[in-house]
PDB file of all heavy atoms in Angstrom:
ATOM      1  N   LYS A 128     -10.780 -13.391  -2.208  1.00 98.00           N
ATOM      2  CA  LYS A 128      -9.671 -13.358  -3.184  1.00 98.00           C
ATOM      3  C   LYS A 128      -9.891 -12.331  -4.272  1.00 98.00           C
ATOM      4  O   LYS A 128      -9.719 -12.630  -5.477  1.00 98.00           O
ATOM      5  CB  LYS A 128      -9.427 -14.750  -3.799  1.00 98.00           C
ATOM      6  CG  LYS A 128      -9.222 -15.828  -2.810  1.00 98.00           C
ATOM      7  CD  LYS A 128      -7.810 -15.844  -2.245  1.00 98.00           C
ATOM      8  CE  LYS A 128      -7.581 -16.888  -1.182  1.00 98.00           C
ATOM      9  NZ  LYS A 128      -6.713 -16.428  -0.113  1.00 98.00           N
ATOM     10  N   LYS A 129     -10.345 -11.134  -3.921  1.00 98.00           N
ATOM     11  CA  LYS A 129     -10.597 -10.063  -4.866  1.00 98.00           C
ATOM     12  C   LYS A 129      -9.430  -9.053  -4.771  1.00 98.00           C
ATOM     13  O   LYS A 129      -8.839  -8.883  -3.738  1.00 98.00           O
ATOM     14  CB  LYS A 129     -11.929  -9.367  -4.586  1.00 98.00           C
ATOM     15  CG  LYS A 129     -13.110 -10.316  -4.495  1.00 98.00           C
ATOM     16  CD  LYS A 129     -13.337 -11.018  -5.817  1.00 98.00           C
ATOM     17  CE  LYS A 129     -14.527 -11.955  -5.689  1.00 98.00           C
ATOM     18  NZ  LYS A 129     -14.778 -12.716  -6.918  1.00 98.00           N
ATOM     19  N   ARG A 130      -9.243  -8.389  -5.842  1.00 98.00           N
ATOM     20  CA  ARG A 130      -8.181  -7.358  -5.890  1.00 98.00           C
ATOM     21  C   ARG A 130      -8.754  -6.056  -5.212  1.00 98.00           C
ATOM     22  O   ARG A 130      -9.886  -5.681  -5.459  1.00 98.00           O
ATOM     23  CB  ARG A 130      -7.805  -7.085  -7.324  1.00 98.00           C
ATOM     24  CG  ARG A 130      -6.628  -6.166  -7.479  1.00 98.00           C
ATOM     25  CD  ARG A 130      -6.099  -6.136  -8.949  1.00 98.00           C
ATOM     26  NE  ARG A 130      -5.215  -5.055  -8.997  1.00 98.00           N
ATOM     27  CZ  ARG A 130      -5.152  -4.117  -9.938  1.00 98.00           C
ATOM     28  NH1 ARG A 130      -6.010  -4.222 -10.961  1.00 98.00           N
ATOM     29  NH2 ARG A 130      -4.299  -3.186  -9.891  1.00 98.00           N
ATOM     30  N   VAL A 131      -7.929  -5.364  -4.438  1.00 98.00           N
ATOM     31  CA  VAL A 131      -8.302  -4.105  -3.807  1.00 98.00           C
ATOM     32  C   VAL A 131      -7.425  -2.976  -4.274  1.00 98.00           C
ATOM     33  O   VAL A 131      -6.191  -3.111  -4.290  1.00 98.00           O
ATOM     34  CB  VAL A 131      -8.179  -4.184  -2.261  1.00 98.00           C
ATOM     35  CG1 VAL A 131      -8.548  -2.868  -1.617  1.00 98.00           C
ATOM     36  CG2 VAL A 131      -8.967  -5.290  -1.670  1.00 98.00           C
ATOM     37  N   ILE A 132      -8.077  -1.883  -4.699  1.00 99.00           N
ATOM     38  CA  ILE A 132      -7.323  -0.662  -5.001  1.00 99.00           C
ATOM     39  C   ILE A 132      -7.753   0.368  -4.018  1.00 99.00           C
ATOM     40  O   ILE A 132      -8.900   0.839  -4.035  1.00 99.00           O
ATOM     41  CB  ILE A 132      -7.589  -0.217  -6.456  1.00 99.00           C
ATOM     42  CG1 ILE A 132      -7.151  -1.303  -7.426  1.00 99.00           C
ATOM     43  CG2 ILE A 132      -6.882   1.121  -6.752  1.00 99.00           C
ATOM     44  CD1 ILE A 132      -7.512  -1.062  -8.905  1.00 99.00           C
ATOM     45  N   PHE A 133      -6.888   0.655  -3.045  1.00 99.00           N
ATOM     46  CA  PHE A 133      -7.380   1.431  -1.886  1.00 99.00           C
ATOM     47  C   PHE A 133      -6.763   2.844  -1.876  1.00 99.00           C
ATOM     48  O   PHE A 133      -5.565   3.035  -2.091  1.00 99.00           O
ATOM     49  CB  PHE A 133      -6.918   0.729  -0.599  1.00 99.00           C
ATOM     50  CG  PHE A 133      -7.612   1.314   0.614  1.00 99.00           C
ATOM     51  CD1 PHE A 133      -8.922   0.961   0.917  1.00 99.00           C
ATOM     52  CD2 PHE A 133      -6.954   2.228   1.425  1.00 99.00           C
ATOM     53  CE1 PHE A 133      -9.559   1.508   2.015  1.00 99.00           C
ATOM     54  CE2 PHE A 133      -7.607   2.790   2.514  1.00 99.00           C
ATOM     55  CZ  PHE A 133      -8.910   2.447   2.822  1.00 99.00           C
ATOM     56  N   PRO A 134      -7.643   3.865  -1.581  1.00 98.00           N
ATOM     57  CA  PRO A 134      -7.121   5.230  -1.470  1.00 98.00           C
ATOM     58  C   PRO A 134      -6.476   5.468  -0.113  1.00 98.00           C
ATOM     59  O   PRO A 134      -7.159   5.600   0.900  1.00 98.00           O
ATOM     60  CB  PRO A 134      -8.422   6.078  -1.606  1.00 98.00           C
ATOM     61  CG  PRO A 134      -9.508   5.215  -1.040  1.00 98.00           C
ATOM     62  CD  PRO A 134      -9.085   3.764  -1.324  1.00 98.00           C
ATOM     63  N   SER A 135      -5.154   5.522  -0.148  1.00 98.00           N
ATOM     64  CA  SER A 135      -4.444   6.061   1.019  1.00 98.00           C
ATOM     65  C   SER A 135      -4.486   7.574   0.861  1.00 98.00           C
ATOM     66  O   SER A 135      -5.460   8.098   0.257  1.00 98.00           O
ATOM     67  CB  SER A 135      -3.035   5.537   0.977  1.00 98.00           C
ATOM     68  OG  SER A 135      -2.278   6.033   2.053  1.00 98.00           O
ATOM     69  N   THR A 136      -3.552   8.301   1.371  1.00 98.00           N
ATOM     70  CA  THR A 136      -3.618   9.775   1.245  1.00 98.00           C
ATOM     71  C   THR A 136      -2.204  10.333   1.428  1.00 98.00           C
ATOM     72  O   THR A 136      -1.375   9.749   2.091  1.00 98.00           O
ATOM     73  CB  THR A 136      -4.567  10.381   2.269  1.00 98.00           C
ATOM     74  OG1 THR A 136      -4.375  11.805   2.266  1.00 98.00           O
ATOM     75  CG2 THR A 136      -4.271   9.875   3.668  1.00 98.00           C
ATOM     76  N   SER A 137      -1.983  11.497   0.797  1.00 97.00           N
ATOM     77  CA  SER A 137      -0.742  12.231   1.050  1.00 97.00           C
ATOM     78  C   SER A 137      -0.592  12.594   2.525  1.00 97.00           C
ATOM     79  O   SER A 137       0.501  12.777   3.070  1.00 97.00           O
ATOM     80  CB  SER A 137      -0.676  13.492   0.247  1.00 97.00           C
ATOM     81  OG  SER A 137      -1.871  14.261   0.481  1.00 97.00           O
ATOM     82  N   GLU A 138      -1.739  12.617   3.241  1.00 96.00           N
ATOM     83  CA  GLU A 138      -1.722  12.976   4.656  1.00 96.00           C
ATOM     84  C   GLU A 138      -1.019  11.958   5.506  1.00 96.00           C
ATOM     85  O   GLU A 138      -0.645  12.212   6.686  1.00 96.00           O
ATOM     86  CB  GLU A 138      -3.163  13.124   5.194  1.00 96.00           C
ATOM     87  CG  GLU A 138      -3.849  14.372   4.663  1.00 96.00           C
ATOM     88  CD  GLU A 138      -4.170  15.393   5.746  1.00 96.00           C
ATOM     89  OE1 GLU A 138      -4.184  15.030   6.947  1.00 96.00           O
ATOM     90  OE2 GLU A 138      -4.415  16.556   5.392  1.00 96.00           O
ATOM     91  N   VAL A 139      -0.808  10.709   5.008  1.00 98.00           N
ATOM     92  CA  VAL A 139      -0.114   9.720   5.857  1.00 98.00           C
ATOM     93  C   VAL A 139       1.321  10.133   6.137  1.00 98.00           C
ATOM     94  O   VAL A 139       1.897   9.773   7.143  1.00 98.00           O
ATOM     95  CB  VAL A 139      -0.100   8.283   5.259  1.00 98.00           C
ATOM     96  CG1 VAL A 139      -1.494   7.693   5.210  1.00 98.00           C
ATOM     97  CG2 VAL A 139       0.604   8.203   3.967  1.00 98.00           C
ATOM     98  N   TYR A 140       1.908  10.959   5.245  1.00 98.00           N
ATOM     99  CA  TYR A 140       3.275  11.395   5.470  1.00 98.00           C
ATOM    100  C   TYR A 140       3.326  12.472   6.588  1.00 98.00           C
ATOM    101  O   TYR A 140       4.394  12.757   7.139  1.00 98.00           O
ATOM    102  CB  TYR A 140       3.914  11.987   4.170  1.00 98.00           C
ATOM    103  CG  TYR A 140       3.977  10.969   3.050  1.00 98.00           C
ATOM    104  CD1 TYR A 140       3.203  11.035   1.955  1.00 98.00           C
ATOM    105  CD2 TYR A 140       4.932   9.939   3.122  1.00 98.00           C
ATOM    106  CE1 TYR A 140       3.288  10.117   0.910  1.00 98.00           C
ATOM    107  CE2 TYR A 140       5.050   9.027   2.093  1.00 98.00           C
ATOM    108  CZ  TYR A 140       4.232   9.100   0.982  1.00 98.00           C
ATOM    109  OH  TYR A 140       4.339   8.201  -0.001  1.00 98.00           O
ATOM    110  N   GLY A 141       2.196  13.082   6.842  1.00 96.00           N
ATOM    111  CA  GLY A 141       2.069  14.042   7.919  1.00 96.00           C
ATOM    112  C   GLY A 141       3.120  15.137   7.864  1.00 96.00           C
ATOM    113  O   GLY A 141       3.304  15.787   6.838  1.00 96.00           O
ATOM    114  N   MET A 142       3.844  15.264   8.969  1.00 96.00           N
ATOM    115  CA  MET A 142       4.816  16.364   9.082  1.00 96.00           C
ATOM    116  C   MET A 142       6.230  15.878   8.672  1.00 96.00           C
ATOM    117  O   MET A 142       7.246  16.445   9.132  1.00 96.00           O
ATOM    118  CB  MET A 142       4.818  16.889  10.527  1.00 96.00           C
ATOM    119  CG  MET A 142       3.505  17.549  10.871  1.00 96.00           C
ATOM    120  SD  MET A 142       3.419  18.190  12.563  1.00 96.00           S
ATOM    121  CE  MET A 142       3.395  16.697  13.495  1.00 96.00           C
ATOM    122  N   CYS A 143       6.292  14.888   7.897  1.00 97.00           N
ATOM    123  CA  CYS A 143       7.569  14.369   7.348  1.00 97.00           C
ATOM    124  C   CYS A 143       8.357  15.556   6.734  1.00 97.00           C
ATOM    125  O   CYS A 143       7.825  16.387   6.000  1.00 97.00           O
ATOM    126  CB  CYS A 143       7.312  13.323   6.291  1.00 97.00           C
ATOM    127  SG  CYS A 143       8.777  12.679   5.509  1.00 97.00           S
ATOM    128  N   ALA A 144       9.674  15.619   7.019  1.00 95.00           N
ATOM    129  CA  ALA A 144      10.473  16.780   6.571  1.00 95.00           C
ATOM    130  C   ALA A 144      11.121  16.555   5.180  1.00 95.00           C
ATOM    131  O   ALA A 144      11.801  17.448   4.709  1.00 95.00           O
ATOM    132  CB  ALA A 144      11.538  17.062   7.633  1.00 95.00           C
ATOM    133  N   ASP A 145      10.916  15.409   4.592  1.00 97.00           N
ATOM    134  CA  ASP A 145      11.543  15.135   3.282  1.00 97.00           C
ATOM    135  C   ASP A 145      11.122  16.200   2.238  1.00 97.00           C
ATOM    136  O   ASP A 145       9.968  16.640   2.241  1.00 97.00           O
ATOM    137  CB  ASP A 145      11.182  13.764   2.773  1.00 97.00           C
ATOM    138  CG  ASP A 145      11.733  12.657   3.647  1.00 97.00           C
ATOM    139  OD1 ASP A 145      12.478  12.973   4.555  1.00 97.00           O
ATOM    140  OD2 ASP A 145      11.393  11.492   3.388  1.00 97.00           O
ATOM    141  N   GLU A 146      12.052  16.534   1.368  1.00 96.00           N
ATOM    142  CA  GLU A 146      11.752  17.479   0.285  1.00 96.00           C
ATOM    143  C   GLU A 146      10.633  16.983  -0.621  1.00 96.00           C
ATOM    144  O   GLU A 146       9.738  17.695  -1.000  1.00 96.00           O
ATOM    145  CB  GLU A 146      13.012  17.739  -0.550  1.00 96.00           C
ATOM    146  CG  GLU A 146      13.881  18.885  -0.082  1.00 96.00           C
ATOM    147  CD  GLU A 146      13.103  20.197  -0.038  1.00 96.00           C
ATOM    148  OE1 GLU A 146      12.522  20.614  -1.053  1.00 96.00           O
ATOM    149  OE2 GLU A 146      13.077  20.831   1.068  1.00 96.00           O
TER     150      GLU A 146
END
Side-chain angles (χ1 to χ4, degrees):
K128 306 281 176 217
K129 306 299 180 180
R130 186 169 170 228
V131 178
I132 299 173
F133 193 79
S135 178
T136 171
S137 54
E138 289 246 342
V139 295
Y140 297 109
M142 296 179 289
C143 176
D145 294 355
E146 269 303 304

